């Protein structure tokens, strides 16, 4: 719809989906990225808000039992006021705006105020629950219809709009949204109107989230299972019908090898995404707490000098992906590219570093069989013996194994710092809280520098958390600091670390 006032903003009613931030639509992401203000429900996964502009105003509409919950009238008026100020507003809702989410009410208010709006559908909880709990809503042999039902009608209604006699006879799947506190009433009404008490049911809590719970029972058992102990708290959805007989083998989501684990990744922010993605795909809940900060060197003078004499070196030696990125970024700033290295051979400490080199159209001439400095020295020794010249592109700190090993073998070695590595001084408040509550089950440690910083960050908490180390060298550093890692990778790469974690889960 449109408005005559060019100064009036727009409102987007966006469905955020059931919980997993990857389940929001592309259109939803586009709207979030363009918004001046976002009004979001507490059930919305906070990772979705990362799509917002840095200067966007983010307004949480409250959480029951935690913070004041906005009334619907407040939400409506705020959307209208902001739009009248010319702002682009996103009203971000869990699930789908049109399924038990006040979408029609909010759209009506906007229409009456003459404000342009758009409704962006989201994956509603029932659709997600079927897939993530390993069942279906329809089945060619079991159910040809679906009914979505609220377990919590508007208390201001004079009478219920639900016909429990018709629902009890419904020839398909019943899906009750909400209804935790009213389960005794709606279950008893279904049974009283002829629905068999032994009808199969599936209760799903926090659908598609890392702590999803799935309970299989019968219709008459639903209230007791919700009441506990332990009590099952919202958000909860209950699927009732023959489709709930689906075999456990279809429950892929909770069967993933790392489901139920909370893993703390401590790599620098610029490097952690690949590891986080792998662990999340395997079912882990992943938290990020960088132990070190990577940044450009204090001065480029030494690097620039080495680049100006790059032809004098036989070998360029990279011991990390960070070194590759910072070196090539500086090369670009000097209006140079890979052609400047045509006279050099290139060594990489491992396949990860080699992959980063390939991003700059460089193929590593040498990768050692074992991905550590000692093996790289052994691989380069034949060239060092011949007196060849090496340029090591390294961090501001680290072991001197490469320099000392190549020099002792007869090589001529120069080294320049292409990036700084500094410790992070304190834990993020939300990470500290999760550690203190015992939620974190495993910490990944991917270098000796990270090991030292992590031990300082965790303090006495390190005693109660398991550690996963990427290599024997890193493990040795940890043991020297008083912590023996429970898991050690046999292949000293991120893939090897993930594999070792899975093997020990």
């Amino acid at each position: 719809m449109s408005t005559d006032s060019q100064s009036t903003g727009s409102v987007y009613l966006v469905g955020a989906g059931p919980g997993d931030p990857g389940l929001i639509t592309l259109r939803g992401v586009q709207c979030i990225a363009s918004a001046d203000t976002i009004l979001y429900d507490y059930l919305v996964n906070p990772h979705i808000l990362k799509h917002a502009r840095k200067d966007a105003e983010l307004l949480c509409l409250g959480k029951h039992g935690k913070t004041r919950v906005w009334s619907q009238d407040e939400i409506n008026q705020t959307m209208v006021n902001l739009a009248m100020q010319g702002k682009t507003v996103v009203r971000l809702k869990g699930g789908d705006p049109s399924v038990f989410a006040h979408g029609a009410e909010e759209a009506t208010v906007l229409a009456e105020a003459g404000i342009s709006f758009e409704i962006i559908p989201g994956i509603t909880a029932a659709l997600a629950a079927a897939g993530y709990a390993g069942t279906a809503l329809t089945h060619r042999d079991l159910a040809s219809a679906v009914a979505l039902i609220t377990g919590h009608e508007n208390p201001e209604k004079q009478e219920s709009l639900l016909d429990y006699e018709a629902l009890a006879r419904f020839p398909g799947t019943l899906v009750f949204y909400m209804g935790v506190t009213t389960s005794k009433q709606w279950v008893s009404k279904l049974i009283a109107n002829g629905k068999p008490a032994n009808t199969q049911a599936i209760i799903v809590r926090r659908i598609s989230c890392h702590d999803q719970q799935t309970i299989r029972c019968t219709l008459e058992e639903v209230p007791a299972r919700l009441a506990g102990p332990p009590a099952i708290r919202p958000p909860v959805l209950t699927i009732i019908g023959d489709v709930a007989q689906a075999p456990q083998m279809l429950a892929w989501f909770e069967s993933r090898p790392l489901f139920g684990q909370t893993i703390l990744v401590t790599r620098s922010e610029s490097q952690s995404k690949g590891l986080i993605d792998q662990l999340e795909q395997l079912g882990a809940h992943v938290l990020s707490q960088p132990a070190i900060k990577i940044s450009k060197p204090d001065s480029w003078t030494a690097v620039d000098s080495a680049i100006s004499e790059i032809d004098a070196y036989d070998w360029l030696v990279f011991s990390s992906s960070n070194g590759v990125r910072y070196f090539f970024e500086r090369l670009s700033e000097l209006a140079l590219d890979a052609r400047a290295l045509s006279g050099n051979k290139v060594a990489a400490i491992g396949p990860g570093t080699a992959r980063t080199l390939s991003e700059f159209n460089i193929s590593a001439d040498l990768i050692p069989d074992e991905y550590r400095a000692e093996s790289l020295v052994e691989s380069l020794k034949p060239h060092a013996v011949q007196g060849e010249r090496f340029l090591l592109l390294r961090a501001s700190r680290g072991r001197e194994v490469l320099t000392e090993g190549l020099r002792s073998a007869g090589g001529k070695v120069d080294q320049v710092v292409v990036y700084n590595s500094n410790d992070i001084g304190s834990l993020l408040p939300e990470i500290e809280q999760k550690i203190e509550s015992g939620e974190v089950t495993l910490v990944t440690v991917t270098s000796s520098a990270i090991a030292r910083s992590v031990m300082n960050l965790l303090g006495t908490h390190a005693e109660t958390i398991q550690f996963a180390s990427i290599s024997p060298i890193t493990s040795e550093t940890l043991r020297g600091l008083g912590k023996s890692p429970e898991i050690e990778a046999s292949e000293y790469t991120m893939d090897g670390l993930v594999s070792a974690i899975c093997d020990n889960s």
Side-chain angles (χ1 to χ4, degrees):
M1 63 175 295
S2 62
T3 177
D4 293 334
S5 174
Q6 296 299 311
S7 63
T8 302
S10 300
V11 177
Y12 298 90
L13 307 178
V14 179
D20 184 335
L23 295 180
I24 190 170
T25 64
L26 288 174
R27 179 60 180 151
V29 169
Q30 290 171 350
C31 294
I32 291 169
S34 68
D36 298 308
T37 303
I38 300 172
L39 286 73
Y40 65 98
D41 294 337
Y42 82 93
L43 288 177
V44 170
N45 191 309
H47 287 289
I48 292 176
L49 297 173
K50 292 181 179 179
H51 298 295
R53 301 196 320 252
K54 290 185 178 180
D55 63 339
E57 181 183 24
L58 306 179
L59 300 176
C60 179
L61 303 182
K63 181 176 181 180
H64 291 284
K66 298 287 185 180
T67 58
R68 188 183 72 83
V69 178
W70 291 33
S71 70
Q72 189 60 52
D73 287 341
E74 284 181 284
I75 295 170
N76 295 346
Q77 192 59 53
T78 300
M79 287 192 298
V80 170
N81 291 345
L82 290 169
M84 288 297 187
Q85 296 169 25
K87 294 187 177 182
T88 298
V89 181
V90 162
R91 169 72 174 98
L92 190 59
K93 303 164 172 286
D96 179 275
S98 301
V99 181
F100 306 126
H102 302 287
E105 301 165 51
E106 293 175 359
T108 299
V109 169
L110 296 170
E112 290 175 345
I115 293 169
S116 175
F117 67 89
E118 182 179 329
I119 300 174
I120 294 88
I123 296 176
T124 188
L127 298 180
Y132 280 74
T135 183
L137 295 182
T138 64
H139 189 289
R140 63 185 301 174
D141 298 322
L142 303 175
S144 297
V146 181
L148 307 183
I149 310 151
T150 178
H152 188 76
E153 288 190 274
N154 185 344
E156 296 179 4
K157 288 181 183 177
Q158 292 188 356
E159 59 182 47
S160 172
L161 296 179
L162 295 177
D163 183 341
Y164 279 92
E165 183 180 357
L167 290 174
R169 297 196 316 268
F170 186 74
T173 306
L174 303 179
V175 183
F176 275 82
Y177 281 64
M178 303 167 285
V180 171
T181 58
T182 59
S183 61
K184 285 185 179 180
Q185 290 94 313
W186 55 261
V187 167
S188 63
K189 287 178 182 178
L190 284 174
I191 294 174
N193 281 280
K195 193 72 173 176
N198 63 352
T199 302
Q200 293 297 303
I202 297 179
I203 300 168
V204 192
R205 179 180 184 271
R206 287 184 54 79
I207 299 154
S208 79
C209 296
H210 69 275
D211 54 350
Q212 175 178 300
Q213 290 177 268
T214 302
I215 299 170
R216 295 168 183 267
C217 60
T218 63
L219 175 60
E220 67 178 344
E221 293 172 336
V222 167
R225 298 301 293 271
L226 288 172
I232 307 300
R233 306 307 307 156
V236 169
L237 181 144
T238 306
I239 300 172
I240 300 164
D242 290 340
V243 295
Q245 301 174 33
Q248 186 70 36
M249 59 185 276
L250 298 182
W252 64 273
F253 184 69
E254 295 177 38
S255 299
R256 294 177 299 168
L258 299 182
F259 185 83
Q261 286 207 44
T262 297
I263 299 177
L264 185 66
V265 168
T266 56
R267 299 195 87 193
S268 64
E269 189 173 359
S270 62
Q271 286 186 298
S272 61
K273 185 178 185 303
L275 179 57
I276 290 173
D277 287 348
Q278 283 194 71
L279 294 171
E280 286 182 338
Q281 285 295 315
L282 292 165
H285 177 215
V286 183
L287 305 173
S288 177
Q289 168 62 70
I292 60 175
K293 181 179 180 181
I294 302 300
S295 60
K296 66 181 182 180
D298 298 331
S299 169
W300 287 109
T301 301
V303 178
D304 292 350
S305 178
I307 290 174
S308 70
E309 300 177 356
I310 204 74
D311 290 337
Y313 295 100
D314 299 291
W315 287 90
L316 306 182
V317 183
F318 293 94
S319 56
S320 73
S321 292
N322 283 323
V324 174
R325 295 192 190 282
Y326 277 91
F327 175 75
F328 278 92
E329 285 173 11
R330 186 56 181 172
L331 206 63
S332 178
E333 290 170 0
L334 297 175
L336 298 171
D337 57 26
R339 290 173 294 181
L341 313 182
S342 60
N344 308 110
K345 294 186 286 291
V346 178
I349 197 167
T353 304
R355 280 193 296 271
T356 306
L357 280 166
S358 69
E359 295 175 14
F360 298 94
N361 300 310
I362 297 291
S363 296
D365 297 285
L366 186 150
I367 305 173
D369 293 333
E370 290 190 6
Y371 314 134
R372 55 178 179 167
E374 288 81 358
S375 297
L376 186 54
V377 169
E378 289 302 315
S379 298
L380 287 170
K381 264 187 179 180
H383 304 281
V385 168
Q386 297 174 25
E388 294 186 10
R389 193 171 179 187
F390 301 85
L391 177 63
L392 310 186
L393 300 133
R394 57 167 297 167
S396 56
R397 59 180 176 178
R399 299 189 301 145
E400 299 295 329
V401 172
L402 282 172
T403 302
E404 294 173 357
L406 292 173
R407 282 177 178 167
S408 65
K412 300 171 183 176
V413 181
D414 291 328
Q415 53 181 332
V416 291
V417 171
V418 291
Y419 68 95
N420 281 339
S421 170
N422 295 303
D423 290 349
I424 297 292
S426 60
L427 292 168
L428 297 167
E430 61 271 24
I431 299 297
E432 186 171 17
Q433 186 275 323
K434 290 183 183 297
I435 289 171
E436 289 179 348
S437 68
E439 183 177 337
V440 176
T441 56
L442 184 69
V443 174
T444 63
V445 185
T446 54
S447 73
S448 290
I450 288 176
R452 286 185 282 269
S453 181
V454 164
M455 290 299 290
N456 285 330
L457 285 171
L458 294 181
T460 57
H461 291 300
E463 300 171 7
T464 59
I465 302 174
Q466 291 195 332
F467 276 48
S469 164
I470 196 170
S471 70
I473 297 295
T474 304
S475 298
E476 183 180 338
T477 301
L478 283 169
R479 281 190 284 271
L481 296 166
K483 176 65 180 182
S484 182
E486 287 77 12
I487 299 171
E488 181 182 284
S490 55
E491 178 185 308
Y492 317 142
T493 64
M494 295 304 137
D495 289 346
L497 180 61
V498 171
S499 179
I501 292 171
C502 288
D503 290 343
N504 284 271
S505 296

